[in-house]
Amino acid sequence: AQKVTQAQTEISVVEKEDVTLDCVYETRDTTYYLFWYKQPPSGELVFLIRRNSFDEQNEISGRYSWNFQKSTSSFNFTITASQVVDSAVYFCALSEAGFLNAGGTSYGKLTFGQGTILTVHP
Amino acid sequence: AAGVIQSPRHLIKEKRETATLKCYPIPRHDTVYWYQQGPGQDPQFLISFYEKMQSDKGSIPDRFSAQQFSDYHSELNMSSLELGDSALYFCASSLASPGEKLFFGSGTQLSVL
């Protein structure tokens, strides 16, 4: 069975600080996909990034960066120079390779971590 | 760009009542998913539909049922509501493809009193 663990339940920082959100996963599949979603106070789930198990390249998008390490089964998320608008709950999620056949599909069945509540103070 | 639309945004029901949640996926997306997020919890997969057929099931109670219609919109029906059903219910849609990202709606906040 797959499992996603986010070690930090809550993180509180002051604006302009860098912050890293940890994510560790477990899966038996050799092909899998990792995601980060953001849930701001308004409640919607916003997609941030997707990574497949064969692509260990780190990625940077503006102030956001992600570090994927298969050796430690981790997919950590760093926000550089945090801002108040970054305050939200952040979820790490995993989907396995899945299938698509005449009976349907298991694609899109995400297992989420418990979430990390990030509060950025002015 | 069109997003996933859910209605209603908020719903208040009494115990033992029935609730119906609606979801309109992004056009041309062939797969719809329902997730339940309890207070302070992570979203849990309930059920999915691929091309209007039930595709995969998660931890969905027998009191809940769902379907996808010919116009691709989906409805989640919940009967004999319990206090523990109070949660944020998300609908999401995507194309059926490995690792395809899900586009989530804004959710329906259900409160059972």
Side-chain angles (χ1 to χ4, degrees):
Chain A
Q2 52 191 345
K3 184 178 179 182
V4 177
T5 302
Q6 294 178 245
Q8 306 115 324
T9 304
E10 290 191 56
I11 299 176
S12 182
V13 299
V14 177
E15 248 188 335
K16 298 183 184 176
E17 281 187 40
D18 298 347
V19 57
T20 295
L21 283 61
D22 297 330
C23 172
V24 174
Y25 61 91
E26 296 175 29
T27 178
R28 293 179 185 172
D29 275 16
T30 54
T31 300
Y32 51 90
Y33 302 87
L34 296 164
F35 302 81
W36 276 93
Y37 280 87
K38 174 182 180 179
Q39 188 172 39
S42 50
E44 73 273 23
L45 283 166
V46 179
F47 167 82
L48 294 177
I49 191 172
R50 170 189 56 210
R51 204 25 122 228
N52 73 54
S53 52
F54 299 107
D55 182 2
E56 285 194 73
Q57 275 194 334
N58 292 329
E59 181 155 338
I60 299 174
S61 176
R63 296 184 297 106
Y64 295 171
S65 62
W66 291 268
N67 179 251
F68 175 32
Q69 292 195 338
K70 284 181 75 171
S71 60
T72 56
S73 298
S74 65
F75 186 43
N76 297 335
F77 173 32
T78 298
I79 302 174
T80 302
S82 59
Q83 300 176 0
V84 173
V85 293
D86 296 327
S87 297
V89 183
Y90 291 86
F91 289 98
C92 181
L94 168 74
S95 72
E96 294 180 332
F99 62 85
L100 173 62
N101 56 38
T105 176
S106 68
Y107 299 149
K109 188 173 179 179
L110 296 174
T111 296
F112 286 86
Q114 306 93 313
T116 296
I117 302 171
L118 174 64
T119 304
V120 182
H121 299 280
Chain B
V4 177
I5 298 173
Q6 290 187 247
S7 66
R9 190 74 174 89
H10 301 275
L11 190 58
I12 299 174
K13 291 286 184 178
E14 301 275 343
K15 279 172 54 178
R16 293 180 288 277
E17 285 191 326
T18 297
T20 298
L21 279 54
K22 295 186 178 182
C23 169
Y24 295 84
I26 292 172
R28 292 185 297 281
H29 279 185
D30 51 21
T31 311
V32 168
Y33 315 82
W34 287 97
Y35 282 79
Q36 177 192 55
Q37 185 180 22
Q41 304 292 314
D42 54 287
Q44 296 288 319
F45 171 75
L46 291 179
I47 194 167
S48 65
F49 292 86
Y50 170 66
E51 286 293 347
K52 295 167 282 186
M53 298 291 290
Q54 183 181 306
S55 181
D56 200 2
K57 284 180 78 170
S59 49
I60 183 169
D62 292 340
R63 300 178 289 106
F64 293 10
S65 65
Q67 54 184 326
Q68 188 176 24
F69 296 86
S70 58
D71 65 351
Y72 286 85
H73 94 271
S74 178
E75 294 183 2
L76 178 66
N77 298 291
M78 297 175 283
S79 62
S80 302
L81 286 169
E82 301 173 356
L83 296 178
D85 296 329
S86 296
L88 185 56
Y89 290 84
F90 285 107
C91 174
S93 73
S94 76
L95 294 170
S97 178
E100 191 67 34
K101 68 182 182 183
L102 270 59
F103 292 83
F104 284 86
S106 298
T108 293
Q109 181 65 58
L110 173 66
S111 299
V112 182
L113 305 179

